Amino acid sequence: MHASHKIIGAQIQENMDQMLVSSWFHLHSSVPLSYVQPPESRPGTAVVASGKTIPVVDLGVHDHVEVLGQILRASEQYGFFQVINHGVCNELIEDTINVLKEFHGMPAEEKMRESSKDPNGSCKLYSSREINNKDAIQFWRDTLRHLCPPSRQFIHFWPQKPSTYREVVERYTEEMRKLGVKILEVLCEGLGLDREYCNGGLSESPLLLTHHYPPCPEPSLTLGAPKHRDPTLLTILLQEKDINALQVFKDGEWIGVEPIPNAFVVNIGLLLQIISNGRLIGAEHRVVTNCERARTTVAYFIRPTNETIIEPAKALTTLHPPIYKSITYSDFLTIFMTKGPDIEPQLLLP
């Protein structure tokens, strides 16, 4: 190989290693300055509610009215709940977590190669440094994301390593699609809408995000994810067992979401807050780090196609005037990426 090619190759490898937190976290005994949060955002200074948790809904209960009431109350009061007895087999849950942990454990060069096959970016591996301004405060995680519509049109861009990745993740996303439909239909019924209101364009562009949070030398100074709300109708999250990191903001304090084995965490996204005309809460949440163990999560984002109009459901604005503007999902995402936590005033009607 020509010497100049070796230099270029070394530079590419160095850039990858700088980009992915998992490539360099073990070399630091302190958090790099670019990852240190401002004092008011640091987890070490915030009060975490003791003994409080988010609701748990048993989907195996045969009383439909009771399940509907629990889901609706949790969505109105917390914007978060966990579901158990949801019908997704434990073996698939374990296989999914394991194959994604295995992916994030591969060498950086191999991970990048496996997740950069689509020039349009339908599958991508990145850290917050790549999506934020390089001078902005960064977050302690790596993320693999890819589109996963039921049409399978992007599956040939998904990683082929580990060897079982596509087979396991395809089965998992299909189960998430079914579970998402079930929960959305219950919510729509509870709101007084047609049960299938959120089917079709409103949920046709799902996205899978796998976050990997390496151990952090100073967890009190940084965050895995900042205080935010999701740009989705609904998010279904699979957490690793025994690692408490997700926190929900309610009534001025943070509530820890303790992992329940084989349960899913469900949270209302901003889009469903708009559709419900503010009745449901797109709750703020964040992720803290720890110094002992890496943590991997799998988030299934139920999202619309870009041209879909997001607005309060007409059936909900006869007695209460709409408080949100009508906006395409594409325009919503543009505002979301620029305004972040301050997006809601931009969505309200004058």
Side-chain angles (χ1 to χ4, degrees):
M1 182 183 292
H2 193 278
S4 62
H5 290 174
K6 288 184 178 179
I7 293 171
I8 292 171
Q11 289 173 340
I12 292 172
Q13 182 65 49
E14 182 181 359
N15 288 339
M16 284 194 303
D17 288 347
Q18 288 177 350
M19 187 184 77
L20 297 175
V21 178
S22 55
S23 293
W24 52 256
F25 76 94
H26 57 287
L27 303 175
H28 292 261
S29 58
S30 60
V31 171
L33 188 59
S34 59
Y35 287 80
V36 175
Q37 301 296 307
E40 66 275 12
S41 300
R42 293 175 191 170
T45 59
V47 175
V48 178
S50 176
K52 294 185 179 180
T53 188
I54 64 171
V56 177
V57 179
D58 185 348
L59 296 183
V61 171
H62 296 298
D63 187 338
H64 175 71
V65 174
E66 175 63 21
V67 171
L68 186 153
Q70 289 184 21
I71 289 178
L72 193 62
R73 284 192 298 274
S75 301
E76 291 173 333
Q77 298 172 12
Y78 290 82
F80 266 80
F81 53 95
Q82 297 201 62
V83 292
I84 58 174
N85 296 320
H86 39 63
V88 183
C89 75
N90 294 348
E91 183 181 2
L92 179 58
I93 290 173
E94 291 293 326
D95 288 348
T96 302
I97 277 286
N98 288 337
V99 79
L100 287 162
K101 287 170 70 173
E102 190 177 346
F103 172 86
H104 284 287
M106 295 192 311
E109 186 176 3
E110 194 169 12
K111 287 187 288 192
M112 294 299 293
R113 185 169 59 247
E114 288 296 318
S115 56
S116 55
K117 298 169 184 174
D118 183 4
N120 294 317
S122 66
C123 180
K124 191 174 185 180
L125 175 67
Y126 57 92
S127 70
S128 67
R129 182 175 293 278
E130 189 167 347
I131 58 173
N132 292 341
N133 183 305
K134 68 179 181 180
D135 296 323
I137 295 168
Q138 307 301 322
F139 300 99
W140 200 265
R141 70 173 187 268
D142 297 335
T143 300
L144 172 68
R145 55 163 276 170
H146 56 67
L147 296 170
C148 52
S151 65
R152 304 178 79 244
Q153 70 185 94
F154 298 104
I155 197 168
H156 57 291
F157 294 125
W158 294 7
Q160 289 177 287
K161 293 181 181 180
S163 60
T164 58
Y165 185 96
R166 290 184 181 179
E167 183 266 328
V168 169
V169 174
E170 183 182 16
R171 286 195 295 124
Y172 181 80
T173 55
E174 174 59 19
E175 290 300 315
M176 291 301 97
R177 187 189 68 79
K178 293 175 186 176
L179 180 59
V181 167
K182 183 188 299 185
I183 294 170
L184 282 172
E185 287 184 349
V186 169
L187 281 167
C188 288
E189 181 182 349
L191 289 169
L193 301 173
D194 186 290
R195 280 176 60 87
E196 298 184 358
Y197 184 91
C198 287
N199 295 353
L202 279 170
S203 55
E204 274 184 358
S205 188
L207 180 69
L208 194 77
L209 290 98
T210 306
H211 297 306
H212 180 72
Y213 307 92
C216 176
E218 296 178 292
S220 64
L221 296 182
T222 192
L223 288 167
K227 183 180 181 181
H228 70 287
R229 289 175 287 185
D230 288 348
T232 64
L233 266 76
L234 206 67
T235 300
I236 305 176
L237 179 76
L238 174 59
Q239 301 195 87
E240 266 195 275
K241 302 172 186 175
D242 306 323
I243 306 177
N244 219 327
L246 176 63
Q247 298 177 346
V248 178
F249 196 64
K250 176 174 169 54
D251 300 331
E253 58 185 359
W254 290 101
I255 298 174
V257 180
E258 186 170 345
I260 298 172
N262 300 316
F264 294 106
V265 179
V266 179
N267 68 275
I268 305 300
L270 266 174
L271 305 185
L272 205 49
Q273 178 174 315
I274 293 171
I275 290 167
S276 69
N277 204 31
R279 183 172 170 185
L280 306 184
I281 300 173
E284 293 177 306
H285 52 289
R286 70 178 185 182
V287 177
V288 298
T289 63
N290 77 87
C291 60
E292 297 174 354
R293 292 176 56 188
R295 175 176 179 263
T296 301
T297 62
V298 190
Y300 181 79
F301 275 17
I302 301 177
R303 317 180 311 157
T305 52
N306 282 339
E307 65 276 9
T308 300
I309 300 294
I310 309 301
E311 62 184 358
K314 298 288 193 292
L316 302 181
T317 59
T318 52
L319 296 177
H320 304 283
I323 60 176
Y324 295 104
K325 303 173 185 175
S326 296
I327 188 171
T328 65
Y329 186 53
S330 178
D331 289 343
F332 171 91
L333 283 178
T334 299
I335 299 172
F336 183 86
M337 293 304 292
T338 54
K339 294 296 182 181
D342 303 318
I343 185 175
E344 191 165 2
Q346 309 296 317
L347 303 174
L348 293 169
L349 285 167

